[in-house]
Structure formats: C-alpha cells, structure tokens
Amino acid sequence: MLAGIIKGGRVASAYLFVGPPGPEKLAAAQQFADGLQTKSVDRLIIEPDGATLKIAQILELQTLTRYGPTSSPRLVAIIKSADEMTPEAAGAFLKTLEEPSPGVIFVLLVEREERLPETIISRCQKIVFGEPAVVWQRKPELAGWYKDLQQIGQLKLVELFELSARLEKEKDQLEELLYDLAYFSWHELREWRRAKIILETIKDIKKRANLRLTLDVACLRMQTA
C-alpha cells in the first residue's frame, strides 16, 4: 500500500500506523521515508519522554518542521507511541495538523488509536498493521550475522566486543544491516526485546553518538535481553 502511495504521488500530510507491538510500524515508516527520498537530515523521530509524549516535545517538533525540508523533497516526522500524548500535547499537535507546513509528512505510530482524539484521527490516513506490512526474508549473505545474533547470549565478553568491532566496520551499510537483524530477531527468534534494542541503537547512531561505544553497549544489552 505504501509503495502504491509513493508511486501514485498522492501523499497525504499525515498517516496513522495502527497495530500491535513490534518493529513493523517503525520499519515501515522508515521505508516510507526512504521511498520519498527523505535524507536523514529531514527525518525526525520523537518518542515519549518517560511514560507520555509531552507538550514541550510537540512544541519542539513544531519548531523543527515549521520551514519544511532542507535538502529533501519531503520532511518526514515519525511519532512513536503517539497514543501516549498528554491532552495538552494532543491539542498542540492538532493545531499542527490543521496548518501543515509544505513538504512535511507526519507518521503517527500507535497501538490503541482510541486513545487519540477523533479530531487527530480524522486528519490522518490510517494504515492498519495486523500481519507484518513489510515482508521480510532471510538474506543468504547475512547468514553469519544471523548466527551471531542467535548465539549472542552465549558469547564471552571478548567475543561480544569482537562482534561490535565487526559491526563498526560495516558503517557504510550499518543501518540497513541493523534493520535486517531487528527483523530477524523479531520474526524468527521472536525476541522483541532484542529487536527493540537494535532499533534504539539505530536511533542513537543517528544522533551521532560515539559509534563504537554505542555498538558495545548494544551488544552487552542484547546478551542479557
């Protein structure tokens, strides 16, 4: 469906991705942004500060999206757990939807749409995720990485750091590799906690965190997840 939207060129200003917990909604949003040729500088992801999305976060989002994309055809703002907005945050976000900036697309990821005001829901194009919307298949060339992830719980400390070092060497295609490993963790290993750690690692890397340290921490967290 998302591919059809992109191909048809009729892109709405806001989308509501509704579905159960799992990496599918975020991965689909990222692929949607890829299809729209949105560069990382014009790709925003916000998530709850603690248990809720607060009005300060929405006001910051308004500031960041006010002038539209800087070097891409469109700016894509992905809002994780959008159904956790406080009433004040939802009210502020509604104003943003009512007067969208040119070239800005909002993608709201939710598990329980009934927790959002109807005024927000009605302004979004809804896509429901039951079964995974993004079809994932094993890539034979990544068999070694799949094995490493499957056995990460049994690796010694030195082996964990060796794994981190090998990941660092893949920096030119690291994001794609990590997304694939997140899918493998979820779809085949049924290890949602590890998949979540991988997705959080991608986010940290995009914040220009120290790459090696970020990967070291991720490997240590996945071992005990």
Side-chain angles (χ1 to χ4, degrees):
M1 182 175 182
L2 293 174
I5 291 171
I6 295 170
K7 185 176 181 180
R10 301 180 65 179
V11 181
S13 60
Y15 290 86
L16 187 67
F17 286 11
V18 184
E24 286 82 10
K25 298 189 296 296
L26 178 58
Q30 293 281 18
Q31 289 192 359
F32 187 41
D34 290 342
L36 294 171
Q37 301 179 357
T38 298
K39 300 177 182 178
S40 58
V41 69
D42 289 316
R43 195 177 304 199
L44 307 174
I45 299 179
I46 69 168
E47 58 186 325
D49 178 10
T52 60
L53 276 163
K54 299 175 174 58
I55 188 170
Q57 294 178 273
I58 299 301
L59 294 177
E60 181 182 9
L61 180 65
Q62 290 174 344
T63 300
L64 294 173
T65 59
R66 182 171 299 155
Y67 301 107
T70 58
S71 58
S72 309
R74 294 180 176 88
L75 184 155
V76 177
I78 301 170
I79 305 177
K80 297 172 62 177
S81 301
D83 45 348
E84 299 296 343
M85 287 188 196
T86 64
E88 295 79 11
F93 185 66
L94 176 60
K95 293 181 180 179
T96 304
L97 289 181
E98 290 174 338
E99 300 178 1
S101 299
V104 175
I105 298 170
F106 295 99
V107 182
L108 286 67
L109 313 183
V110 306
E111 295 176 19
R112 299 172 57 187
E113 65 175 297
E114 68 274 10
R115 300 180 68 174
L116 282 174
E118 180 59 35
T119 47
I120 289 180
I121 295 173
S122 64
R123 286 171 170 79
C124 299
Q125 182 171 328
K126 183 166 67 174
I127 297 177
V128 178
F129 290 70
E131 294 300 318
V134 179
V135 178
W136 178 83
Q137 293 182 330
R138 273 177 173 254
K139 297 178 180 177
E141 66 272 20
L142 299 183
W145 291 108
Y146 299 148
K147 183 178 179 181
D148 288 334
L149 185 59
Q150 193 167 11
Q151 298 178 346
I152 197 168
Q154 288 76 48
L155 296 182
K156 298 178 181 178
L157 186 60
V158 65
E159 293 173 323
L160 280 177
F161 290 139
E162 289 174 354
L163 174 60
S164 174
R166 286 193 286 116
L167 284 168
E168 185 183 26
K169 291 179 180 179
E170 300 290 334
K171 59 184 178 181
D172 291 339
Q173 53 189 13
L174 182 58
E175 183 175 338
E176 181 181 352
L177 171 60
L178 290 176
Y179 272 121
D180 200 274
L181 292 178
Y183 269 106
F184 173 74
S185 183
W186 174 250
H187 288 285
E188 293 210 11
L189 303 183
R190 310 308 296 175
E191 291 282 357
W192 163 235
R193 291 177 64 187
R194 286 181 183 170
K196 184 178 180 181
I197 290 169
I198 295 172
L199 295 175
E200 290 172 349
T201 300
I202 294 171
K203 180 184 68 174
D204 290 340
I205 291 172
K206 287 185 175 181
K207 291 180 179 178
R208 301 186 183 279
N210 181 285
L211 180 58
R212 181 57 187 276
L213 179 60
T214 301
L215 293 172
D216 284 347
V217 171
C219 288
L220 289 168
R221 290 179 63 199
M222 284 191 287
Q223 186 181 51
T224 57

